Amino acid sequence: DVKVTQSSRYLVKRTGEKVFLECVQDMDHENMFWYRQDPGLGLRLIYFSYDVKMKEKGDIPEGYSVSREKKERFSLILESASTNQTSMYLCASTTGLAGGREQFFGPGTRLTVL
Amino acid sequence: GEDVEQSLFLSVREGDSSVINCTYTDSSSTYLYWYKQEPGAGLQLLTYIFSNMDMKQDQRLTVLLNKKDKHLSLRIADTQTGDSAIYFCAEKRLDDYKLSFGAGTTVTVRA
């Protein structure tokens, strides 16, 4: 069974802290994505990666960076967390050229920045 | 970028049909998706349709696509309490990695 896991379901951090959100998939997928979900805005793409060590900016990359050192793991980094980064963060993966068809999602990490 | 729009809320009585509507702007969209998100969970793909299709049926779900009007709908027959969730419409071009999502429609099923 397809599985995307995220390191934490809930996270509370303070303004200015460095925050790491981890995502792991066990499907040998080439492509991995980080989204944030906010009420009334749907999902917005932060970054994606189509191969190890490769990354592309999404629609809202400001204030975030990513790391993909291994195929199965994609990390989202908030260098200095701010209150406007309080949100639900969803990781997804898929296979195939140009992103394939179905994206498989993790359960999400609800991050609160105080 | 691409715009995908949905109404934000839908309330339906148990046993009735639900219809969730979505409009999109990118005429080169190739795949159109419906995802479901239950409370506290990630997104689960319900169904998808290729842009060269008009309709797709899968058990209680029927997807209708009107390419001329760029309108996509999801009909859920015999709506149950377990269908209460947020439903996201999304579209993707063949040559792109990105999915563009609508804001999501919160469906509430009342007894």
Side-chain angles (χ1 to χ4, degrees):
Chain A
D1 200 15
V2 159
K3 201 144 187 203
V4 180
T5 56
Q6 295 182 228
S7 50
S8 305
R9 295 298 305 270
Y10 300 94
L11 211 50
V12 179
K13 295 291 181 181
R14 296 206 175 274
T15 302
E17 279 193 79
K18 190 168 185 175
V19 182
F20 292 87
L21 302 182
E22 304 284 341
C23 175
V24 177
Q25 50 92 6
D26 65 359
M27 299 162 283
D28 202 35
H29 284 171
E30 303 87 27
N31 311 302
M32 296 186 75
F33 306 80
W34 274 107
Y35 296 90
R36 65 176 280 176
Q37 181 185 0
D38 300 288
L41 296 177
L43 276 72
R44 292 178 292 166
L45 183 64
I46 304 171
Y47 267 97
F48 67 98
S49 169
Y50 53 87
D51 201 351
V52 175
K53 297 193 186 295
M54 306 305 289
K55 60 186 178 185
E56 292 279 345
K57 292 180 180 179
D59 298 317
I60 51 163
E62 297 79 17
Y64 303 95
S65 62
V66 289
S67 172
R68 184 124 182 248
E69 296 296 317
K70 293 186 177 181
K71 191 175 186 180
E72 67 270 18
R73 187 180 298 269
F74 192 34
S75 303
L76 180 69
I77 303 153
L78 288 67
E79 292 288 342
S80 177
S82 63
T83 53
N84 63 13
Q85 293 178 309
T86 291
S87 187
M88 170 74 95
Y89 290 87
L90 291 163
C91 174
S93 74
T94 190
T95 189
L97 289 174
R101 290 184 290 188
E102 178 178 358
Q103 289 192 11
F104 295 88
F105 282 83
T109 296
R110 186 165 294 282
L111 172 67
T112 302
V113 182
L114 301 175
Chain B
E2 303 82 2
D3 285 329
V4 180
E5 294 190 355
Q6 308 175 235
S7 53
L8 292 182
F9 301 99
L10 177 67
S11 178
V12 62
R13 190 169 299 178
E14 190 175 10
D16 286 353
S17 292
S18 311
V19 179
I20 308 167
N21 294 301
C22 170
T23 58
Y24 61 97
T25 56
D26 191 342
S27 57
S28 52
S29 296
T30 303
Y31 300 102
L32 294 142
Y33 304 82
W34 284 104
Y35 278 86
K36 176 184 181 182
Q37 185 182 37
E38 294 181 4
L43 274 67
Q44 169 199 356
L45 181 67
L46 282 180
T47 187
Y48 66 91
I49 191 168
F50 295 111
S51 57
N52 61 357
M53 298 168 65
D54 297 323
M55 187 184 93
K56 182 178 180 181
Q57 188 154 2
D58 184 2
Q59 299 182 335
R60 292 191 297 123
L61 305 178
T62 303
V63 178
L64 293 177
L65 175 60
N66 181 328
K67 276 193 74 174
K68 175 175 168 289
D69 295 337
K70 299 190 184 69
H71 182 267
L72 182 75
S73 68
L74 174 69
R75 178 177 179 268
I76 305 172
D78 186 25
T79 309
Q80 303 298 308
T81 54
D83 295 323
S84 292
I86 304 175
Y87 291 81
F88 290 94
C89 169
E91 55 96 18
K92 192 182 93 64
R93 296 196 319 224
L94 179 64
D95 61 348
D96 199 349
Y97 291 97
K98 288 173 47 177
L99 281 180
S100 293
F101 285 87
T105 300
T106 299
V107 173
T108 303
V109 181
R110 60 187 192 277

